[in-house]
Amino acid sequence: MKIRQSVCVHSPSGMELAGLAGLLAAVPAVALLGRSGRRHTGVARRAHVLLAVGGALVTAAALAGLATAVLTEHHQHMSSGSKTLATLMAIGMGFGTLTLLAGTVAMPGAARGPAAALRHVLDGLVIAASVWFVGWVLVAHPTHILGEATPYRCAAVIIPAVLGVIALGLTGVLALHAHRPRRHTVRVGLGVSLTAIASAGVSSGICRQGDELVLTAVLLLSAGLITVAWAVRAADRPVRVTGDVLERGGAYAVVPMLFVVAALGYHLAQGGTLDPYGYFGISVEGLALVARQFLALDDVRRYTVQLRQREKHFRDLAHTDPLTGLANRRGLQLALKDDAGPTALIGIDMDGFKTVNDLRGHDVGDAVLAEVGARLRRNLLDGDVAARLGGDEFAVLMHGDADEAVLAAHRLLAVLGEPYDVDGGQIFLSASVGVASTGELLHDADLALRYAKQRGKNRVEQYQAGYDELLRRRGTLTGELRHAIDRDQLRLVFQPVVALPSMRPVGAEALLRWTHPELGPVRPDEFIPVAEESGLINRIGAWVLENACRQLADWLAAGHDIWMSVNLSPKELHNADYAAQVADILTELGVPPQRLVLEVTEHAVATDMEELVRRLAELRETGVRIALDDFGAGYSSLTQLRTLPVDILKIDHALVAEPESRTGTAAPLVDVVVRLGHRLGLEVLAEGIGTPAQREVVEEAGCRLGQGSLFGWGVPAEHFESRLESLRPTGPRPLPAPRTGPQSNAPARSQVVRLGPGMRQLRALLPTDPEFSASAVDQNVGSVDSGREMGQG
């Protein structure tokens, strides 16, 4: 006899089916989160992907649990099975909720960085532990406000419940500290909190077999995920970074702790005791506060270190020159106070640097200054301090006595005088150096530096007590020189330029003189540097040029065959419209341009070769001649000489006088320069001839023009004109006796070569040339218009 056992199959209720249907509404929200994660990059993509994964885990766990509950048969062990299912669902949805929380913290604008995110989490734990403890007091004995509905027998609800209060706490922290606009981040937090609370409801409903609770929790879960998806979609906007957490006070930590203390006091007053759940809440609260305090102290320590570093940085900036990396004036003064023992100060000023800035721009000027700083740094000894005091002025503080400082100053002078390679070529600069080893070092070194510039620059001067008086005099000269032209205190004297060997005047150099009614005669080497530094040189130079040309016009009108030479300051030369000014003056006074010679010193070559060539070419286009003065003083090279558009070389007096004083024999360099000039098609003029022996050396070298005290000092115009009148020829000039043959040991001479209509050029004649015998008489300088404009026989 077969016994058939009946099996009861669980028939799903309407509540369970409604729960499944409601949970399916969360699937589109998860899909939306996934698509948002794929669309973003960087930090935003990581946050959106975490939110999508978390939503998918929560939804999958809930769907699996509900589907299992619907399809499970009812039997007597259904209660234990519900607890197991609820526990599994709680664990799955717990992992999903944790992932959602991680995505919330990683949202752009939620925290400034990982450290700030950790602080947010700890702050959220403080709030969550407080909420947990207060909730435990309400549901535990003796309060027991939920009565039979207290979910003690469903331990699975603890996991989602803990995560729910953590989500609420984190949302509260984000509401206070997230970057603006905060509403999107807060909405994400609220959606995650709602999802976590709903997960606790679903687990509790499955555990207690409460269909109404399950349905309500499922609907809340779907609403939470939809809220997250909607908030994430609206959060794709830039955030405005605000201050750190520490800038907003600590009420978020104090208030929850007060609630915990109050709840614990009430619970104990009612006769309650601490069970594991209450102990858990207090422990989390304490540990979170301690961890938060530790991070706060670490923040304070880190901020203190940063403040010290910034203070040191700004202190270094306050004492360091940003361009060169050297100390600035304040840093040098600090070093002067700290240094003990014998010290000396070397003051340095770069000669002609302003011209570099004006012509090549401040970028090139800055590059030159940076190179000056690098050279000073490379030549420092241990303990020395190099500083840039401002502009092109530097200083070196060194340990040692006065003699050691002077030696170091000469070494630096040579180092700083080397060419500076910049974009576009080389720049040549010299330096003026002042040394002080006693007294007020800054003041005394500055006085010595000023005196070095006054005495011609490119030199080293050691401080002397009389420099104070010199400085006061310099200030007086600056003030008085401004009115010298208006008060008719300036005048011109004229030094003859003679043809060799006849020593007949063929030209005159206009020299400026200043006689002050109270100061008396002031030397040009004293007031010309003052005029250049004060900016008066352009006005004074224009006055000199106009009066020299006016005097030249008078002499030419009187029938004198002569030319005029005028010195040109580098500052005038670099004036953009100087060539036009020269042309206007010549046109106004009716002076032939070839009768005017403008002299530029080799020091001008040191500033900017390319710009100098362009300026001189503009002047030559007006028809005037250019003379390179003081040739051989140390700047010009053969390459530069071939490039410069000059017509005359003026041999520096040192080449004429120095070898004779040293050896007592003829100067070999004069012969070399004369031959070089003639080979390049230039006329050569030897200046500074003071003795007959020097004149013989110059003549033997083949130089045809001379100037110096042997032929006369600078004299007023009327005296010079009297000399011209006395030398005016009264009859025909006798022809020289012809040579019988070339002298093999005679020096080279120059000859005018006709290149074409209106074009002539000088070339050198050697003693073996057939034309040499016919050129023994004085030669003209090869003007483009007349053979008698600069020289005469």
Side-chain angles (χ1 to χ4, degrees), residues 484-502:
I485 295 178
D486 299 332
R487 296 171 180 172
D488 198 23
Q489 297 173 358
L490 299 180
R491 62 187 179 92
L492 293 179
V493 296
F494 303 91
Q495 186 177 27
V497 177
V498 302
L500 298 176
S502 67

Side-chain angles (χ1 to χ4, degrees), residues 329 332-333 336 345 389 395 436 439-447:
R329 184 179 294 273
L332 180 62
Q333 291 173 341
L336 285 170
L345 187 64
L389 305 183
E440 299 182 11
L441 295 182
L442 272 174
H443 175 267
D444 296 349
D446 185 62
L447 289 183

Side-chain angles (χ1 to χ4, degrees), residues 645-671:
V646 298
D647 304 280
I648 304 172
L649 286 185
K650 293 190 69 174
I651 304 177
D652 187 74
H653 62 86
L655 297 184
V656 177
E658 191 273 337
E660 182 182 11
S661 64
R662 184 182 67 224
T663 63
T665 59
L669 289 181
V670 173
D671 182 71

Side-chain angles (χ1 to χ4, degrees), residues 387-429:
R388 180 188 176 207
L389 305 183
D392 60 343
E393 189 175 353
F394 296 82
V396 174
L397 178 65
M398 59 170 291
H399 295 275
D401 55 21
D403 294 336
E404 294 174 338
V406 171
L407 290 176
H410 280 94
R411 184 179 72 250
L412 293 177
L413 185 69
V415 168
L416 298 178
E418 296 176 358
Y420 295 84
D421 294 322
V422 296
D423 294 339
Q426 290 184 329
I427 290 180
F428 296 86
L429 292 176

Side-chain angles (χ1 to χ4, degrees), residues 585-637:
I585 291 176
L586 295 175
T587 302
E588 179 183 355
L589 298 177
V591 175
Q594 61 272 15
R595 297 280 184 171
L596 177 63
V597 177
L598 296 177
E599 298 186 9
V600 58
T601 64
E602 279 196 304
H603 181 71
V605 179
T607 56
D608 191 328
M609 185 67 180
E610 181 180 351
E611 183 66 17
L612 179 67
V613 170
R614 189 170 68 85
R615 298 293 188 188
L616 293 180
E618 292 177 357
L619 284 174
R620 292 189 75 193
E621 290 177 359
T622 66
V624 302
R625 287 171 180 61
I626 306 297
L628 183 59
D629 198 6
D630 300 332
F631 182 76
Y635 287 109
S636 296
S637 66

Side-chain angles (χ1 to χ4, degrees), residues 174-185:
L174 294 179
L176 292 173
H177 302 303
H179 301 312
R180 298 180 185 276
R182 302 192 187 104
R183 60 181 181 273
H184 304 301
T185 306

